[in-house]
Amino acid sequence: MERTLAIKTPRKIGKKVKLSGWVDRRRDHGKLVFIDLKDRSGFVQIVGKKELGELRISDVIEIEGTVNRRPKEMVNPKLPTGKIEVEVKKIKILAKSDDLPFDIRGDGYQIGEETRLKYRYLDLRRPRLVKNLELRHKIIKFIRDWLDEKDFIEIETPLLTKSTPEGARDFIVPSRLQPGKFYALPQSPQQYKQLLMVAGFEKYYQIARCIRDEDLRADRQLEFTQLDLEMSFVEREDVLALIEKLMIDLSKEMGKKVQRKPFPQVKYQEAMKKYGDDKFDLRKKKEENTLAFAFVIDQPLFEWKKEEKRWDAMHHPFTAPNPEDVALLEKGRAAKVRSWQYDLVCNGAEIGGGSIRITNPEIQEKVFEIMGHTKKQIAKKFGHLLKAFDYGVPPHGGIALGLDRIIALFAGEESIREVMAFPVTSSGQASVMDAPSEVEEEQLEELKIKVVKK
Ligand code: ASP
């Protein structure tokens, strides 16, 4: 007999069905035993006698039985399968389960994070998290279809690569074939997407994993997902218009209200004066369904790094200065240079950022110089990109949106961990697996690496 999903049982009243899934709840009424069987589609009540008496929560079972209408007083109008129950005829236990370390039926917020992530595969049985991951899938699918329609193509870029600066530390990977040398995992696909513009693709995007060694705050993860995007022959307003339309269409699809259209564009200095921050919450009332987007523009190109006593790029070093401020590109006036950066904020969180890029080699050199890089360092770190720009580089710009944060916003979750399948804990411990962990002595030998124990 073919398997029926729980959600489809109400269509089969009077018929025989076969169901498979987990025991989610059990109520023993002496003569009669009720269980809720759970599968990926939902729940259905199974009723039987002593054949159900042995079952425990989370046992995996297969049953055959008849779908009956429930007696009137037993109908549960809150459940899609609340009008029926399945009278068991045959039962097979496919796997037994131990007692679960925590309850998986509630929302789970009160359970300690370490425990939830250690048993994440159980935590993920929680209907709230199932819903969040389904939403994640839907949002990413919507974005892919939307960009596809606008002629963007998705291109994957390498994970084993060279450092690309985004303001965090790199994760590095030792090379076995070239001992003593290391790859860096990408903090973003920034340089590759610019190279794709040199290659002539014009409209690139990628649902891209970014890896940054940062101190973990509530909404940070060591690896996270960006909608990364780059376009040729565009100006700032083109990128902003595209992203605005994408966010409006996505909000509509997800049943959210956008507070103001077009999105307000707030100058960085104004934002700092008015809100004391470059991310701010423009919602009038904090209703659940409202999203208040705004663009922040005209950021300074450089910021002063106190500890290192030098100027650094506020966004990243490939960001173009505002053309009106090019004349100010010298160390003494660096603070005054506005950039062609833009950030997207929503309900108090920064959810994206990007810029029009530098394509003029003289300007790029000046920017690196102000940041204190010598010509030799520039050649070593970024020579490949500057070389590529010698072969006909189109004007280009792009943006990256923090997908985890956006999905959390749409899901009404505070933490991005609630919309990721296997996040790391706040101390950087992997879900379920014991990582980071020590490796075999032979592996270290192969890599010519000595670990110095303190
Ligand atoms: N690579 C940048 C980031 O990760 C985004 C961009 O400039 O397109 O923030």
Side-chain angles (χ1 to χ4, degrees):
M1 198 193 309
E2 210 181 302
R3 179 186 174 208
T4 301
L5 284 175
I7 197 82
K8 303 241 164 98
T9 42
R11 296 191 204 157
K12 302 213 163 172
I13 293 174
K15 301 224 169 84
K16 258 190 102 183
V17 291
K18 181 165 102 181
L19 297 157
S20 323
W22 288 260
V23 176
D24 193 65
R25 246 172 238 254
R26 227 190 110 221
R27 292 174 300 282
D28 207 327
H29 289 199
K31 266 206 257 154
L32 284 183
V33 180
F34 296 89
I35 62 161
D36 286 349
L37 179 139
K38 176 188 165 200
D39 63 20
R40 71 182 155 85
S41 72
F43 306 87
V44 61
Q45 176 165 296
I46 313 289
V47 53
K49 295 187 180 140
K50 54 177 180 316
E51 68 270 51
L52 299 181
E54 299 287 296
L55 293 177
R56 298 173 54 176
I57 301 298
S58 273
D59 284 350
V60 183
I61 57 171
E62 180 186 285
I63 68 130
E64 284 177 29
T66 314
V67 183
N68 296 329
R69 262 182 233 284
R70 288 192 202 184
K72 258 213 187 88
E73 63 284 7
M74 304 276 276
V75 165
N76 180 350
K78 282 192 217 133
L79 270 186
T81 58
K83 285 194 181 137
I84 57 103
E85 61 189 10
V86 179
E87 192 187 337
V88 69
K89 294 274 156 44
K90 240 204 234 163
I91 176 161
K92 204 155 84 191
I93 298 179
L94 303 177
K96 298 287 291 173
S97 170
D98 280 345
D99 289 339
L100 301 185
F102 47 69
D103 188 1
I104 56 169
R105 287 170 304 189
D107 61 27
Y109 290 119
Q110 74 296 344
I111 303 168
E113 176 188 84
E114 299 276 332
T115 316
R116 280 184 61 198
L117 294 186
K118 179 170 176 208
Y119 298 99
R120 185 60 156 182
Y121 46 91
L122 298 178
D123 200 38
L124 286 174
R125 288 186 186 169
R126 205 178 286 297
R128 175 173 67 87
L129 293 195
V130 173
K131 245 173 79 194
N132 286 353
L133 290 189
E134 282 171 358
L135 180 73
R136 186 180 183 106
H137 165 78
K138 281 197 190 118
I139 289 176
I140 292 178
K141 179 170 186 314
F142 179 89
I143 291 173
R144 284 200 158 110
D145 292 345
W146 196 91
L147 288 171
D148 177 67
E149 206 165 85
K150 299 200 164 38
D151 285 343
F152 279 81
I153 75 164
E154 182 167 22
I155 303 177
E156 289 162 281
T157 52
L159 287 180
L160 291 175
T161 174
K162 194 175 167 76
S163 176
T164 193
E166 295 283 358
R169 287 188 187 83
D170 287 325
F171 271 99
I172 56 174
V173 181
S175 161
R176 179 182 58 83
L177 297 175
Q178 298 182 45
K181 294 196 174 166
F182 297 83
Y183 301 94
L185 299 175
Q187 291 188 35
S188 79
Q190 184 61 39
Q191 295 185 61
Y192 283 112
K193 68 173 170 175
Q194 293 194 240
L195 292 171
L196 288 169
M197 295 303 106
V198 178
F201 283 98
E202 294 193 27
K203 285 176 159 196
Y204 143 94
Y205 84 97
Q206 180 178 191
I207 305 295
R209 201 62 73 79
C210 301
I211 302 153
R212 302 183 186 179
D213 190 0
E214 304 198 82
D215 297 325
L216 294 166
R217 283 177 262 147
D219 64 345
R220 293 282 160 112
Q221 281 278 305
L222 300 175
E223 46 180 316
F224 58 94
T225 307
Q226 285 184 341
L227 163 60
D228 189 45
L229 182 149
E230 196 78 6
M231 292 187 276
S232 293
F233 308 108
V234 290
E235 295 181 357
R236 179 170 77 185
E237 291 310 317
D238 300 310
V239 181
L240 298 189
L242 180 96
I243 293 304
E244 179 168 315
K245 180 99 176 52
L246 170 61
M247 295 318 287
I248 288 173
D249 288 355
L250 177 65
S251 303
K252 193 168 163 212
E253 177 78 12
M254 298 294 146
K256 298 274 178 189
K257 237 175 70 198
V258 173
Q259 181 165 294
R260 219 175 108 192
K261 296 178 256 190
F263 298 171
Q265 295 191 1
V266 184
K267 292 202 165 90
Y268 177 86
Q269 301 296 2
E270 268 170 35
M272 294 309 276
K273 235 189 264 159
K274 207 161 158 192
Y275 311 106
D277 202 339
D278 59 351
K279 8 183 202 320
F280 39 83
D281 195 341
L282 292 179
R283 277 175 298 176
K284 292 190 196 91
K285 268 194 275 156
K286 299 205 169 159
E287 312 119 43
E288 252 191 21
N289 255 335
T290 303
L291 299 174
F293 293 100
F295 286 117
V296 183
I297 56 169
D298 281 358
Q299 286 83 344
L301 188 62
F302 300 103
E303 63 182 351
W304 181 250
K305 289 264 145 128
K306 262 197 220 129
E307 281 148 38
E308 301 164 38
K309 294 206 179 62
R310 67 173 188 97
W311 292 106
D312 200 1
M314 175 129 171
H315 188 46
H316 52 58
F318 316 111
T319 298
N322 187 310
E324 291 168 18
D325 294 355
V326 169
L328 302 173
L329 276 178
E330 51 186 74
K331 261 193 190 150
R333 297 201 280 181
K336 294 213 172 77
V337 184
R338 288 166 303 162
S339 79
W340 254 2
Q341 181 189 339
Y342 29 80
D343 287 342
L344 178 62
V345 297
C346 182
N347 295 7
E350 186 197 318
I351 58 170
S355 59
I356 298 298
R357 322 300 182 189
I358 301 173
T359 45
N360 175 325
E362 281 152 38
I363 294 181
Q364 185 72 71
E365 211 164 287
K366 271 194 191 149
V367 166
F368 280 137
E369 229 176 76
I370 292 173
M371 287 165 37
H373 294 309
T374 63
K375 285 219 162 86
K376 229 170 134 189
Q377 285 169 332
I378 300 169
K380 191 159 175 227
K381 282 193 177 156
F382 306 112
H384 49 269
L385 191 68
L386 302 180
K387 178 87 199 143
F389 283 9
D390 286 341
Y391 298 108
V393 55
H396 61 279
I399 194 166
L401 303 183
L403 262 185
D404 307 292
R405 172 74 13 230
I406 289 174
I407 296 161
L409 265 176
F410 281 104
E413 294 284 5
E414 288 285 321
S415 163
I416 59 173
R417 282 173 213 166
E418 304 292 347
V419 298
M420 299 172 108
F422 297 105
V424 295
T425 66
S426 43
S427 56
Q429 179 70 34
S431 286
V432 187
M433 318 244 177
D434 178 24
S437 62
E438 277 142 12
V439 298
E440 299 294 330
E441 205 41 58
E442 296 85 75
Q443 284 178 292
L444 290 176
E445 262 164 37
E446 253 182 352
L447 297 166
K448 307 269 184 289
I449 286 181
K450 261 210 187 93
V451 176
V452 182
K453 291 212 168 110
K454 280 210 187 137

